[in-house]
Amino acid sequence: MLSSIARQVKPTLGRHFHSRAVPGLTAAIGNTPLILLKSLSEKTGCQILGKAEWMNPGGSVKDRAALGIVRDAEERGLLKPGGTVVEGTAGNTGIGLAHVCRAKGYRLVIFMPDTQSREKIELLRMLGAEVFPVPAVAYENPANYNHQAREYAEGRAPHAFWTHQFDNTSNARIHYLTTGPEIWEQTEGTLDAFICSTGTGGTLAGTARYLREKSDGRVQNWLADPPGSVLHSYITSGGKLTERSGSSITEGIGQGRITDNLATEIEHIAGALHIPDSKTIAMVYELLDKEGIYLGASSALNVVAAVELAEKLGPGKTIVTVLCDGAYRYQSRLFSHKWLKSKHLLQAVPEHLHKYIVLE
């Protein structure tokens, strides 16, 4: 089984390394490797493959959205030299924008929920962004960080551009143009399913649309959802949008509404899987121990979902998911004994993996 997997994945080896120098940081975004998760592939009898998005220059899948949104604004004349980019973000899109804005010479202002990890906020400031942490309230609340970002940009128009990542469909479009084609090429078109979680909806919608169209509908596209999100119930109920409740340890994923990005493809999503935090945290440690891969919670959730989808579809299938970012921005939480205990998740980590819980 593994020899056939290795042969299939072989065409991706080295492809993220450009054959010649690229003209600046933005040209290095994308073309990330597709990694075979060997232990989980052996366990399920399927090929479980992860798109290594933490290998983008800014460290996450959101580098793609940041670049796609900025380029689109430039092309439409909404962002001019010396202008200001404004965004409401849970973290990684802001980090991607910070890198892109520094490379292109734009000022960046970020509004974000004050529940985000300290590492993310500090990194944004180190990259030159002006960061305004605000109370985490629902989207329907006028004080939501997205609305505060919009109002800030509107008050400084036309010199400020609000990226509006949740409902700016250039977000989904960049994944349609890059992520989907890369996955198709790296699997030589043999994948059976793609699954990932969603915050803005851009990664899932854009990638899923490309894979659906390219395969003439053969590839199944699924959504993975954490606690506190309504998207799993929306898809499994046939379109009933329930009231949001609960919360998750994952950052930046899960949603209480259908964003414009997600709306471009949601009617074609084959199904959804709900992944509890206990399984997510256990997978963070399993991937580190078995694969040597140091991933954040949203990435681990995606891998849990890929495994459950593989079990659902049966052996012999090829399942692709997204490894959104590494654990470096969350290590003060994910590898802290005190934090895990406070979230009632210490017992979710297998006893033999407690050796990795090195922080108090």
Side-chain angles (χ1 to χ4, degrees):
M1 179 69 184
L2 281 179
S3 61
S4 66
I5 296 175
R7 285 196 298 272
Q8 180 165 325
V9 179
K10 187 176 180 180
T12 74
L13 298 180
R15 287 219 176 165
H16 63 294
F17 296 111
H18 296 271
S19 60
R20 62 190 67 180
V22 296
L25 176 139
T26 58
I29 294 174
N31 292 310
T32 55
L34 194 63
I35 297 178
L36 169 68
L37 302 178
K38 293 182 181 179
S39 62
L40 298 173
S41 296
E42 290 176 336
K43 179 178 170 181
T44 61
C46 288
Q47 303 180 47
I48 307 295
L49 305 171
K51 191 81 164 110
E53 291 297 288
W54 86 84
M55 296 180 74
N56 280 304
S60 85
V61 66
K62 293 298 188 178
D63 283 15
R64 295 184 191 256
L67 181 58
I69 289 171
V70 168
R71 277 183 177 168
D72 180 69
E74 290 172 333
E75 291 168 1
R76 294 165 57 199
L78 300 175
L79 185 57
K80 302 185 185 321
T84 298
V85 174
V86 184
E87 177 55 329
T89 173
N92 279 334
T93 301
I95 292 167
L97 282 168
H99 281 283
V100 171
C101 287
R102 287 274 46 81
K104 288 177 169 284
Y106 300 119
R107 175 180 171 231
L108 176 64
V109 175
I110 296 289
F111 287 81
M112 68 188 305
D114 57 12
T115 54
Q116 298 307 293
S117 67
R118 185 186 72 252
E119 291 94 339
K120 279 186 179 179
I121 296 173
E122 290 175 346
L123 178 57
L124 281 166
R125 287 175 172 155
M126 283 187 281
L127 290 170
E130 296 174 45
V131 184
F132 296 95
V134 298
V137 295
Y139 183 82
E140 295 76 18
N141 190 316
N144 178 273
Y145 63 98
N146 291 290
H147 303 318
Q148 292 200 47
R150 183 193 70 244
E151 290 169 5
Y152 182 96
E154 289 175 348
R156 289 155 180 81
H159 303 293
F161 166 69
W162 176 40
T163 56
H164 198 195
Q165 62 161 326
F166 286 84
D167 297 305
N168 183 339
T169 56
S170 62
N171 177 347
R173 183 171 179 268
I174 194 68
H175 290 286
Y176 178 83
L177 296 174
T178 66
T179 316
E182 287 172 29
I183 290 172
W184 184 263
E185 180 185 3
Q186 289 170 320
T187 60
E188 298 183 324
T190 62
L191 77 159
D192 297 286
F194 172 74
I195 186 167
C196 75
S197 53
T198 183
T200 65
T203 303
L204 177 62
T207 305
R209 179 187 160 205
Y210 180 87
L211 296 174
R212 174 177 58 82
E213 292 178 356
K214 189 69 175 179
S215 69
D216 293 324
R218 179 183 59 80
V219 173
Q220 294 186 33
N221 294 296
W222 288 64
L223 174 129
D225 219 25
S229 175
V230 304
L231 299 180
H232 171 265
S233 62
Y234 179 89
I235 290 174
T236 55
S237 69
K240 295 179 182 178
L241 199 59
T242 59
E243 186 175 343
R244 191 172 189 173
S245 63
S247 63
S248 171
I249 63 167
T250 56
E251 295 184 16
I253 62 172
Q255 192 54 261
R257 65 186 181 97
I258 307 302
T259 65
D260 287 357
N261 278 291
L262 187 57
T264 63
E265 186 64 16
I266 194 168
E267 65 181 277
H268 300 290
I269 299 300
L273 297 177
H274 179 267
I275 309 299
D277 283 348
S278 57
K279 290 185 177 181
T280 293
I281 198 69
M283 185 58 76
V284 167
Y285 283 80
E286 182 177 349
L287 287 167
L288 175 59
D289 189 62
K290 296 289 189 183
E291 305 286 347
I293 303 177
Y294 191 58
L295 295 175
S298 58
S299 300
L301 181 147
N302 284 349
V303 174
V304 173
V307 169
E308 293 193 1
L309 184 57
E311 293 169 345
K312 188 179 186 70
L313 298 181
K317 299 293 192 293
T318 297
I319 316 294
V320 176
T321 192
V322 177
L323 309 182
C324 316
D325 63 3
Y328 304 97
R329 293 167 186 166
Y330 319 95
Q331 60 190 16
S332 64
R333 298 182 181 186
L334 297 180
F335 295 89
S336 162
H337 185 277
K338 181 179 180 181
W339 185 83
L340 289 168
K341 191 173 182 180
S342 73
K343 297 296 181 182
H344 307 290
L345 290 172
L346 186 60
Q347 66 275 18
V349 180
E351 188 67 33
H352 71 284
L353 299 182
H354 278 217
K355 61 186 178 183
Y356 297 114
I357 307 174
V358 298
L359 303 176
E360 289 299 324

